[in-house]
């Protein structure tokens, strides 16, 4: 796992631009703390920061390789290719000779052999760039589900790219400008495909590649969700899911560094943990490391709500004991969560879910002290249908994203003129309409099934990429590689066309997954309801939020003041900060505080 950055330009000699390229690459040191490298040529320049996971000695980047009689192509790569061993054997059969054991060289030689057609052969999570001097063009690629990020800024004479926005913003061509649409994305915590908040910068969409040459930039799709039939009956489907999961987890355990799992005690992370333990046992390897978190005071202060009906740790302990893992419980303090919010902002470069992101960051920081790779259960709810909104008819039939921020809570506190310009309700409505237009029903599909298909499509293309963005940015900020087995494209493709009735037999949520791993887990875990990622419920946390917001509003130089109605925010501070559906008043305060720090730290110009 790594960080990549680069630059192509048709009008200047980039061999003279090492300081600028190094400045871009240096912003990514947390993603790749183990090593770094740069490569320069007249038209293209690449940077790389490396987190060593496979082939410690041989996987140095940027990497070069050539076809017979041609100039060498150059690769800078972030991610993992899980089927690299099979691809290596196939390429050797076609005459390729390898200098390393790395998946990096397999990826580069796959391009040499098949060009862009190699993308259909890759199994993994990846974002990479290849400079092909023979075609005088740059290829940018992002994996099918968007597990790994990649941003780019095209301009008249070339383009910049990077794993994170900060790499592009480190270049003087880029500008930290945000227009009204970008600010709406921030306030709605939206993940519009291709949108990167900052003016001019694009996020390469999942399942797409971009080709950039003298004629300009083209972004093309190489993978997407395709409607089709499902031939297997329920027993065969259950068996197929189990076989897929076993193969996926087996592949994702491959590493030359310590590997663990993130174990909440929920069905998804417990299934991954049990499958990983079984795979290690087959290979005669030692006990699997597992990790869970809780917050100081949650035993006394925990209050169940619809999305968080119970605490995790009793179930995590149960699973750890059941599989015999080497389990670590991490206890986070309220003051740690508050302090982590600044680091969270610098990790993501734009505001997000401050509380959840801070908890993720702190968890990953602690895990990194013991493991370099961790497998996660994220993605299971999106592919098996585990969220409340798949079953609550009110949420299912609402003409909006069920996870959408309640923008009505922003209307009283935002400056009235800004509120009118932002059009937050219209922004979400437009994005929802576009999503629904993309989600095609099967011919002859019943309306109820077509609606479920639409909900799956929205989850996989709008909600999941946001969650994956959070995971990548928080984990890579501490140099931890998080792998997501449920996002393997083979599983996603299979489940996309699996009938909804198979996923909910006897009215049981995620029954297909539960039945596929029934022999691996305790009954209490198999029957457990979904519980969302934990956050601090300590009264001291809300008190700190109130204090920080009062201090922000008292600062006459605060960049937040032109955006809000000061008295309305003060009034909000006087009321309860508890849950309002999925969104709390505390979340509104956290987001506004993040926006203030973002505007100040990144010197944002709002147009």
């Amino acid at each position: 796992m790594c960080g990549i950055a680069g630059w192509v330009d048709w009008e200047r000699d980039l061999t003279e631009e090492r300081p600028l390229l190094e400045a871009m690459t240096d912003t990514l040191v947390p993603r790749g703390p183990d090593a770094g490298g740069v490569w320069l040529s007249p038209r293209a320049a690449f940077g790389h920061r490396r987190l060593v996971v496979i082939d410690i000695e041989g996987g140095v980047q940027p990497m070069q390789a050539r076809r017979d009689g041609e100039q060498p192509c150059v690769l800078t790569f972030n991610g993992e290719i899980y089927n690299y061993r099979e691809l290596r054997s196939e390429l050797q059969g076609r005459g390729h000779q390898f200098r390393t054991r790395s998946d990096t060289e397999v990826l580069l030689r796959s391009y040499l052999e098949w060009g862009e057609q190699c993308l259909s052969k890759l199994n993994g999570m990846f974002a990479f760039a290849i400079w092909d001097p023979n075609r005088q063009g740059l290829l940018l690629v992002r994996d099918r589900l968007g597990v790994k990020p990649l941003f780019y800024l095209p301009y008249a004479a070339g383009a910049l790219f990077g794993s994170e926005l900060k790499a592009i913003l480190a270049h003087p061509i880029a500008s930290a400008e945000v227009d009204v649409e970008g600010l709406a994305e921030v306030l709605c915590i939206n993940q519009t495909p291709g949108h990167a908040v900052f003016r001019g910068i694009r996020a390469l969409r999942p399942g797409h590649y971009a080709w950039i040459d003298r004629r300009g930039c083209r972004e093309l799709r190489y993978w997407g969700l395709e409607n089709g039939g499902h031939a297997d009956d329920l027993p065969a489907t259950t068996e197929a899911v189990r076989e897929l999961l076993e193969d996926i987890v087996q592949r994702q355990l491959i590493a030359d560094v310590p590997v663990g799992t993130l174990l909440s005690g929920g069905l998804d992370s417990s299934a991954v943990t049990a499958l990983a333990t079984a795979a290690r046992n087959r290979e005669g390897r030692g006990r699997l490391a597992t990790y869970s978190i809780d917050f100081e005071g949650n035993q006394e202060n925990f209050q169940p709500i619809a999305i968080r009906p119970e605490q995790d740790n009793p179930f995590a302990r149960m699973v750890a004991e059941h599989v015999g893992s080497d389990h670590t419980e991490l206890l986070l303090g309220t003051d740690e969560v508050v302090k982590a919010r600044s680091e969270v902002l610098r990790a993501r470069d734009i505001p997000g879910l401050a509380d959840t992101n801070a908890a993720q960051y702190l968890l990953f920081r602690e895990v990194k002290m013991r493991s370099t790779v961790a497998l996660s259960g994220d993605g299971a709810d999106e592919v098996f249908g585990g969220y409340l909104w798949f079953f609550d008819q009110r949420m299912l039939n609402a003409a909006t994203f069920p996870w959408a921020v309640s923008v009505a809570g922003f209307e009283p506190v935002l400056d009235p003129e800004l509120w009118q310009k932002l059009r937050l309700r219209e922004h979400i409505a437009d994005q929802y309409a576009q999503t629904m237009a993309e989600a095609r029903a099967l011919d002859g599909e019943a309306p109820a099934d077509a609606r479920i298909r639409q909900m799956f499509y929205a989850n996989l293309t709008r909600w999941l990429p946001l969650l994956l963005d959070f995971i990548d940015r928080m984990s890579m900020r501490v140099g931890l590689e998080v792998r997501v087995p449920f996002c393997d494209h083979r599983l996603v493709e299979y489940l996309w066309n699996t009938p909804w009735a198979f996923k909910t037999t006897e009215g049981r949520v995620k029954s297909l997954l539960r039945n596929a791993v029934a022999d691996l887990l305790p009954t209490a875990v198999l029957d457990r309801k979904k519980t969302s990622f934990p956050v601090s419920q300590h009264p001291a946390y809300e008190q700190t939020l109130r204090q920080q917001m009062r201090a922000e509003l008292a600062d006459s130089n605060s960049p937040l003041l032109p955006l809000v109605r000061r008295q309305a925010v003060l009034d909000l501070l006087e009321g309860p900060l508890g849950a309002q559906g999925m969104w709390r008043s505390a979340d509104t305060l956290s987001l506004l505080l993040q926006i203030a720090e973002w505007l100040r730290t990144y010197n944002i110009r709002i147009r």
Side-chain angles (χ1 to χ4, degrees):
M1 195 59 61
C2 309
I4 65 174
W7 183 10
V8 292
D9 196 291
W10 315 111
E11 295 180 358
R12 69 174 85 187
D13 184 354
L14 297 187
T15 60
E16 304 294 326
E17 302 291 350
R18 177 179 287 271
L20 266 180
L21 184 67
E22 289 180 340
M24 295 172 66
T25 307
D26 287 348
T27 66
L28 303 173
V29 167
R31 295 187 72 91
D34 297 329
V38 297
W39 170 86
L40 302 168
S41 75
R43 296 279 73 84
F46 283 1
H48 188 266
R49 290 298 316 183
R50 188 182 183 204
L51 175 67
V52 175
V53 174
I54 293 176
D55 193 2
I56 294 173
E57 299 298 327
V60 177
Q61 298 187 51
M63 182 177 286
Q64 301 183 53
R66 72 173 73 230
R67 305 180 189 91
D68 292 340
E70 294 188 342
Q71 298 181 63
C73 293
V74 186
L75 167 69
T76 185
F77 162 49
N78 167 32
E80 303 290 346
I81 307 300
Y82 299 127
N83 63 334
Y84 77 99
R85 291 174 173 172
E86 296 95 318
L87 288 173
R88 179 189 176 101
S89 295
E90 184 176 356
L91 288 164
Q92 285 175 324
R94 290 173 171 265
H96 288 263
Q97 297 181 349
F98 288 83
R99 298 177 290 104
T100 74
R101 295 186 297 106
S102 70
D103 58 342
T104 303
E105 187 177 7
V106 171
L107 174 57
L108 181 52
R109 292 193 171 276
S110 294
Y111 172 77
L112 294 180
E113 181 66 29
W114 296 297
E116 288 90 332
Q117 299 304 311
C118 75
L119 303 181
S120 64
K121 293 177 171 288
L122 303 178
N123 176 277
M125 55 179 187
F126 48 82
F128 62 86
I130 293 177
W131 171 249
D132 190 335
N134 307 288
R135 298 169 62 190
Q136 283 293 294
L138 173 71
L139 178 68
L140 301 177
V141 181
R142 192 174 179 200
D143 64 61
R144 296 170 178 85
L145 274 297
V147 182
K148 293 291 102 183
L150 187 56
F151 300 94
Y152 68 101
L153 171 61
Y155 61 94
L160 307 170
F161 69 86
S163 292
E164 296 179 3
L165 288 162
K166 61 176 64 67
I168 295 174
L169 293 173
H171 196 290
I173 288 176
S175 178
E177 290 186 353
V178 176
D179 57 20
V180 171
E181 186 179 359
L183 189 56
E185 287 274 312
V186 169
L187 286 166
C188 295
I189 312 183
N190 208 27
Q191 188 76 13
T192 303
H195 205 294
V197 174
F198 291 93
R199 282 172 57 88
I201 302 178
R202 288 188 54 80
L204 185 60
R205 289 175 290 177
H208 284 67
Y209 69 89
W211 178 258
I212 301 171
D213 57 22
R214 289 180 181 272
R215 295 172 293 179
C217 174
R218 294 178 297 142
E219 188 170 315
L220 302 169
R221 193 185 85 159
Y222 71 88
W223 182 86
L225 297 167
E226 300 292 343
N227 290 348
H230 185 82
D232 295 340
D233 61 13
L234 180 56
T237 298
T238 305
E239 183 179 356
V241 168
R242 174 61 174 266
E243 290 176 353
L244 272 170
L245 287 173
E246 288 179 340
D247 180 70
I248 291 164
V249 171
Q250 177 85 36
R251 290 175 184 275
Q252 295 196 18
L253 287 171
I254 297 173
D256 294 333
V257 293
V259 179
T261 67
L262 308 175
L263 176 60
S264 70
L267 172 65
D268 311 332
S269 65
S270 299
V272 169
T273 297
L275 289 162
T277 299
R280 289 174 68 94
N281 289 343
R282 287 193 298 269
E283 298 174 358
R285 300 166 67 183
R287 290 202 299 167
L288 179 72
T290 55
Y291 306 92
S292 64
I293 64 165
D294 202 355
F295 294 87
E296 290 180 355
N298 267 11
Q299 291 291 335
E300 301 81 11
N301 299 296
F302 179 79
Q303 295 181 356
I305 59 176
I307 63 172
R308 198 173 298 111
E310 58 193 0
Q311 294 180 285
D312 284 335
N313 266 346
F315 294 93
R317 294 182 200 124
M318 183 187 304
V319 174
E321 182 177 352
H322 184 78
V323 303
S325 69
D326 181 8
H327 188 61
T328 302
E329 292 183 2
L330 306 168
L331 189 64
L332 307 180
T334 298
D335 58 336
E336 289 183 280
V337 177
V338 173
K339 291 177 183 176
R341 289 211 312 266
S342 291
E343 193 65 22
V344 161
L345 179 62
R346 286 159 179 79
R348 192 162 180 256
D349 299 316
I350 56 175
L353 296 177
D355 300 1
T356 299
N357 294 160
Q360 288 175 318
Y361 167 79
L362 292 169
L363 167 63
F364 296 149
R365 187 183 68 182
E366 294 299 314
V367 172
K368 172 63 176 178
M369 295 179 184
R370 303 164 178 82
S371 298
T372 303
V373 174
L375 275 62
S376 164
D378 289 281
D381 288 310
E382 285 75 16
V383 295
F384 286 99
Y387 289 113
L388 177 63
W389 49 71
F390 281 100
F391 303 91
D392 184 314
Q393 288 301 313
R394 182 184 59 83
M395 300 177 76
L396 186 61
N397 295 328
T400 188
F401 299 115
W403 56 83
V405 170
S406 177
V407 298
F410 286 113
E411 185 173 5
V413 299
L414 290 181
D415 174 79
E417 184 178 350
L418 177 62
W419 171 260
Q420 292 295 326
K421 291 179 178 178
L422 286 171
R423 300 173 63 252
L424 295 184
R425 292 190 180 93
E426 292 86 348
H427 177 81
I428 291 179
D430 290 346
Q431 296 305 320
Y432 181 75
Q434 175 60 41
T435 306
M436 293 300 99
E438 296 171 7
R440 295 177 294 105
L442 285 172
D443 292 339
E445 192 168 32
D449 290 335
R451 180 56 184 157
I452 288 291
R453 184 179 292 274
Q454 287 180 324
M455 186 60 72
F456 270 108
Y457 185 87
N459 274 257
L460 288 165
T461 64
R462 269 47 173 194
W463 179 239
L464 180 60
L466 179 65
L467 301 185
L468 294 174
D469 179 84
F470 290 154
I471 293 167
D472 172 84
R473 230 50 57 82
M474 298 309 113
S475 62
M476 294 307 296
R477 188 65 179 176
V478 298
L480 175 72
E481 175 175 305
V482 174
R483 299 176 177 178
V484 279
F486 289 110
C487 292
D488 184 290
H489 75 276
R490 297 170 298 158
L491 181 67
V492 174
E493 289 171 351
Y494 186 76
L495 292 173
W496 171 248
N497 287 304
T498 298
W500 176 238
F502 284 16
K503 299 175 183 176
T504 55
T505 53
E506 301 178 349
R508 196 179 185 205
V509 177
K510 289 199 295 193
S511 61
L512 180 55
L513 175 58
R514 296 180 199 276
N515 292 334
V517 297
D519 60 317
L520 299 177
L521 296 172
T523 301
V525 174
L526 285 168
D527 292 340
R528 192 181 177 204
K529 292 182 179 179
K530 176 175 174 55
T531 296
S532 65
F533 195 86
V535 297
S536 175
Q537 294 187 339
H538 199 290
Y541 183 70
E542 288 189 4
Q543 181 181 355
T544 302
L545 283 180
R546 296 178 198 269
Q547 291 172 346
Q548 289 183 337
M549 181 55 78
R550 289 192 178 98
E552 189 70 45
L553 295 174
D555 180 2
S556 60
N557 294 318
S558 169
L560 188 64
L561 291 179
L563 307 184
V564 300
R565 296 172 59 224
R566 184 175 181 276
Q567 187 56 51
V569 180
L570 288 172
D571 292 343
L572 179 65
L573 294 175
E574 298 303 319
L577 300 182
Q580 299 172 346
M582 291 184 62
W583 189 254
R584 304 174 300 163
S585 297
D587 297 321
T588 300
L589 290 182
S590 291
L591 184 57
L592 290 175
L593 284 168
Q594 267 200 312
I595 289 172
E597 186 175 359
W598 179 56
L599 295 171
R600 189 162 40 235
T601 304
Y602 285 72
N603 195 26
I604 304 293
R605 293 182 294 282
I606 298 179
R607 292 174 55 124

